Amino acid sequence: MAKATKSNADINHAPAAKTVGAAPRTFRTSIDLKPNVRSSCIALLNARLADSFDLYSQLKQAHWNVKGMDFIQLHELFDEVAERTLVYVDDIAERAIELGGYATGTARMAGASSSLPEYPTAATNGQEHLTAVVERMALYGKHVRQCIDEADDLGDKDTADLFTEISRAVDKDLWFLEAHLQA
Ligand SMILES: [Fe+2]
């Protein structure tokens, strides 16, 4: 039986990165993926690079600013999740380079292009920080999951695999975070 394939119209597209500054640059490469596949995947990767860097900084914001009786365990948990997120930043940026792209990875570029909302400065206690972090982690995970199908549909199974790996790890961290709020 023929395997059902998703048409482009069936895929829920993740938000694209906003264009910031100069037009994106590309470089010649001997990798055996067509230029249009590469450029579309580079755009997906740079959009999620912005989200990942933004999420990393927001997790550190929670790590530094949380207060209350659960301080030490949340302080440490937020830092562990941030460290894992920093690995996604590097893996996503390097995949964009492997495809002949240019990684738009400064903090300013990430802030201007991120699809995540800004961190609430009013958050103080553990529950407020957990609520803010869970909301952003869930949105980040949703957009990464959408990129699995988008990269697969474009014909780049390795980029889809990278997004799958990140998506699975994000689901686990979302569980670790959200379990605190599930009575
Ligand atoms: Fe620290």
Side-chain angles (χ1 to χ4, degrees):
M1 200 167 93
K3 187 176 169 246
T5 54
K6 286 188 176 173
S7 75
N8 207 34
D10 293 332
I11 293 178
N12 249 334
H13 290 275
K18 298 172 198 95
T19 305
V20 182
R25 299 157 63 194
T26 52
F27 298 84
R28 285 165 66 97
T29 168
S30 49
I31 200 165
D32 63 326
L33 288 168
K34 291 192 174 78
N36 63 317
V37 172
R38 289 192 283 109
S39 62
S40 296
C41 283
I42 291 162
L44 289 182
L45 288 158
N46 270 322
R48 302 292 73 78
L49 172 60
D51 288 1
S52 306
F53 213 164
D54 188 21
L55 181 66
Y56 168 75
S57 72
Q58 296 202 28
L59 285 160
K60 293 298 280 196
Q61 187 77 1
H63 163 73
W64 296 319
N65 288 295
V66 67
K67 299 194 187 303
M69 290 301 289
D70 297 327
F71 166 76
I72 196 63
Q73 69 121 337
L74 290 178
H75 174 72
E76 289 176 359
L77 176 60
F78 292 145
D79 208 28
E80 287 167 15
V81 179
E83 287 304 310
R84 286 191 277 278
T85 304
L86 196 54
V87 175
Y88 313 151
V89 170
D90 203 49
D91 287 348
I92 289 171
E94 290 180 358
R95 181 69 192 163
I97 305 299
E98 289 162 29
L99 296 176
Y102 180 83
T104 48
T106 71
R108 289 183 213 205
M109 289 170 184
S113 295
S114 175
S115 66
L116 306 181
E118 178 57 290
Y119 200 78
T121 52
T124 306
N125 64 37
Q127 177 145 1
E128 289 163 347
H129 280 287
L130 280 164
T131 300
V133 166
V134 163
E135 184 184 309
R136 283 149 185 79
M137 200 82 195
L139 188 58
Y140 175 75
K142 175 185 172 181
H143 295 163
V144 170
R145 202 186 318 280
Q146 287 170 330
C147 285
I148 300 170
D149 276 347
E150 290 189 56
D152 195 39
D153 193 57
L154 287 163
D156 181 352
K157 294 202 177 295
D158 298 294
T159 295
D161 181 61
L162 173 60
F163 284 131
T164 303
E165 182 185 335
I166 295 170
S167 174
R168 190 170 52 242
V170 168
D171 285 351
K172 187 168 184 178
D173 275 332
L174 188 58
W175 163 42
F176 279 16
L177 294 160
E178 199 165 39
H180 294 82
L181 302 172
Q182 292 166 326

